[in-house]
Amino acid sequence: APLHRSAQIRNGVVAGEVRQRVKGMIESVRAYAVPQDTYYVRARGRLKGDRSVGWLSALLASTLDIKPVLTARNNRTEVVARIRGFDAAAERVIANLRRAVEWGLDAPYVVLSYAGDLELMRMLPGYSELQDLCARQNVTMLESVMSVTGGIHLGPGTFSAAVLAKQHEFQ
């Protein structure tokens, strides 16, 4: 597994080498977000020219309580799943994170973020199982309140998660 950048620098790796290694890891990033409000995501995305969530999709999603699971790769946002209910969508993301941890990560970290109180994120279905698995596998689970920018673009109550895992595809 690649060393953390600060450890690489302490071990004498030149900053340019670190930058190249990080650039090489970009293809391994698997990041997902589950917004609470599809209309909000659509409106904010349209301001940036993002058309990944259409008007009809937002209307149906709102009416049927269907939440998109978004991923961002190569400067594009895509919907990888549509799941009824926020908790079910978050649970599916967490199940995918567990699978990635079991298969092996390119870096021993699972990063979780929530646009709101972290206690609400910790109550999501599957969260405690992910936490236990990470502890058993010596994977560090990092939690944070979503950045202001993330919260503005994805809306309050959005759950997001990321890992470095080349072999992982969302299911």
Side-chain angles (χ1 to χ4, degrees):
L3 289 172
H4 190 273
R5 280 188 287 172
S6 61
Q8 291 175 341
I9 291 169
R10 280 194 305 275
N11 290 331
V13 177
V14 180
E17 268 184 69
V18 173
R19 193 172 14 263
Q20 283 302 103
R21 288 181 188 181
V22 169
K23 190 176 178 183
M25 286 190 270
I26 289 172
E27 286 300 312
S28 295
V29 174
R30 301 295 183 255
Y32 305 102
V34 180
Q36 288 275 5
D37 184 347
T38 308
Y39 274 119
Y40 184 95
V41 173
R42 179 183 181 275
R44 294 302 303 176
R46 291 184 71 79
L47 292 174
K48 300 183 314 178
D50 183 342
R51 305 282 190 250
S52 61
V53 179
W55 176 83
L56 184 58
S57 293
L59 175 65
L60 287 172
S62 178
T63 303
L64 302 173
D65 191 31
I66 294 174
K67 304 301 180 190
V69 176
L70 306 171
T71 189
R73 295 188 77 183
N74 301 322
N75 292 323
R76 285 187 37 223
T77 303
E78 298 175 320
V79 177
V80 293
R82 290 175 178 84
I83 302 167
R84 180 170 249 158
F86 179 81
D87 282 357
E91 183 175 29
R92 179 104 161 260
V93 169
I94 291 169
N96 273 270
L97 296 173
R98 285 197 318 261
R99 191 167 44 86
V101 169
E102 289 168 350
W103 286 2
L105 302 173
D106 293 349
Y109 302 98
V110 171
V111 181
L112 305 174
S113 177
Y114 189 75
D117 184 349
L118 292 180
E119 285 305 315
L120 295 173
M121 178 182 74
R122 293 177 186 129
M123 293 179 348
L124 290 171
Y127 176 90
S128 60
E129 291 86 351
L130 175 63
Q131 190 174 39
D132 292 344
L133 176 63
C134 286
R136 286 193 311 273
Q137 299 285 339
N138 292 320
V139 171
T140 302
M141 204 161 90
L142 303 169
E143 301 175 332
S144 71
V145 173
M146 189 172 286
S147 70
V148 172
T149 302
I152 288 171
H153 291 295
L154 295 171
T158 295
F159 168 66
S160 69
V163 293
L164 283 177
K166 284 186 192 104
Q167 298 179 2
H168 176 74
E169 292 303 323
F170 193 87
Q171 292 183 354

